Structures are given as structure tokens and as C-alpha cells.
């Protein structure tokens, strides 16, 4: 069995991809719960507005338009966040594949050579 070395940046990209996936799941579940409660609230407000004798027809239309706009806004926000998570996930996958394999550490320069380089830098 041949083991290939995996670079630290590749490991970091893979971990970042997993974190993005976890955050996407958390957002989806939270958005689902918020949608459920928002739908209930909108239904209650709509029913209240429809059965209110004191609210004029124009007021009922405003409430209906407000509910429609809120629902559309939630859908657009969710779509935008989903696209962002998808792009972040794809980026992490590309970084994971593009990361170079771990390289063997270079030997340090001999002591005499390092001193000569320091003198040359100090002289300039």
C-alpha cells in the first residue's frame, strides 16, 4: 500500500469544506423553522385582518401585500445564501485539489554561507 502525503493546505481546505457543509445544514434547518413560524404568523394576521370590521378594504389589501412581500423576501434571501454556500463549497473543493503535495523540507544553508549573506545584506 502506497501512502501519499497530503499537504497542510489541502487538509485545511477539506476541513473548511466540511465546516461550510455543516453551516449550510444549520442554516437550512433554522430557515425551515423560521419559515414555519412566519407562515403561521402571516396566516393569523391575514385572518385577523379579514375578520376585522374596523379595518378598511385598503388596509386589508396592504396587509395582504405585506405578507406577499415578506414571503418573497424570505425566498430570495434563502436562495442567495444557498448560492453563497454552494460557491464557498466549490472553492474549498478546488483548493483541496489544487493544493500541492507536501514537500520534503530543504536543508538549511551551511553556517558560513548564511554569515556571508548577512554581511552582504548589512553592507547594502
Amino acid at each position: 500500500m502506497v501512502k501519499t502525503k497530503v499537504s497542510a493546505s489541502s487538509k485545511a481546505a477539506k476541513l473548511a469544506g466540511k465546516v461550510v457543509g455543516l453551516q449550510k445544514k444549520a442554516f437550512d434547518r433554522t430557515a425551515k423553522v423560521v419559515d414555519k413560524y412566519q407562515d403561521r404568523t402571516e396566516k393569523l394576521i391575514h385572518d385577523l385582518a379579514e375578520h376585522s370590521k374596523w379595518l378598511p378594504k385598503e388596509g386589508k389589501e396592504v396587509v395582504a401585500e405585506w405578507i406577499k412581500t415578506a414571503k418573497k423576501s424570505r425566498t430570495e434571501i434563502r436562495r442567495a445564501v444557498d448560492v453563497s454556500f454552494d460557491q464557498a463549497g466549490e472553492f474549498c473543493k478546488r483548493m483541496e485539489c489544487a493544493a500541492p503535495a507536501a514537500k520534503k523540507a530543504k536543508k538549511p544553508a551551511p553556517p558560513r554561507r548564511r554569515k556571508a549573506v548577512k554581511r552582504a545584506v548589512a553592507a547594502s
Side-chain angles (χ1 to χ4, degrees):
M1 179 167 33
V2 177
K3 286 189 177 181
T4 59
K5 291 187 177 185
V6 180
S7 68
S9 58
S10 178
K11 288 180 183 179
K14 187 174 185 175
L15 180 62
K18 288 182 179 182
V19 169
V20 168
L22 178 67
Q23 290 176 341
K24 183 175 180 176
K25 284 181 185 178
F27 174 79
D28 287 343
R29 290 176 181 166
T30 303
K32 195 176 197 178
V33 171
V34 168
D35 283 348
K36 186 169 97 175
Y37 285 111
Q38 191 71 31
D39 287 341
R40 286 182 185 176
T41 303
E42 289 169 354
K43 185 180 181 320
L44 289 172
I45 290 172
H46 179 57
D47 290 346
L48 180 67
E50 287 299 314
H51 294 93
S52 296
K53 294 180 181 179
W54 57 269
L55 190 62
K57 181 180 176 184
E58 295 83 14
K60 294 176 184 181
E61 290 172 0
V62 168
V63 169
E65 186 65 28
W66 171 71
I67 290 171
K68 182 181 169 184
T69 303
K71 199 172 281 193
K72 183 179 175 185
S73 297
R74 280 197 326 264
T75 304
E76 288 176 2
I77 288 171
R78 191 164 184 176
R79 189 177 309 132
V81 172
D82 283 343
V83 167
S84 296
F85 276 125
D86 291 341
Q87 288 176 346
E90 287 299 317
F91 176 75
C92 291
K93 285 179 186 176
R94 284 196 318 264
M95 290 294 104
E96 184 180 344
C97 294
K103 295 181 182 176
K104 190 175 179 181
K106 292 183 179 180
K107 285 185 177 180
R112 282 182 260 138
R113 186 171 183 197
R114 280 192 276 161
K115 288 180 184 176
V117 170
K118 284 183 182 178
R119 282 188 221 136
V121 171
S124 35

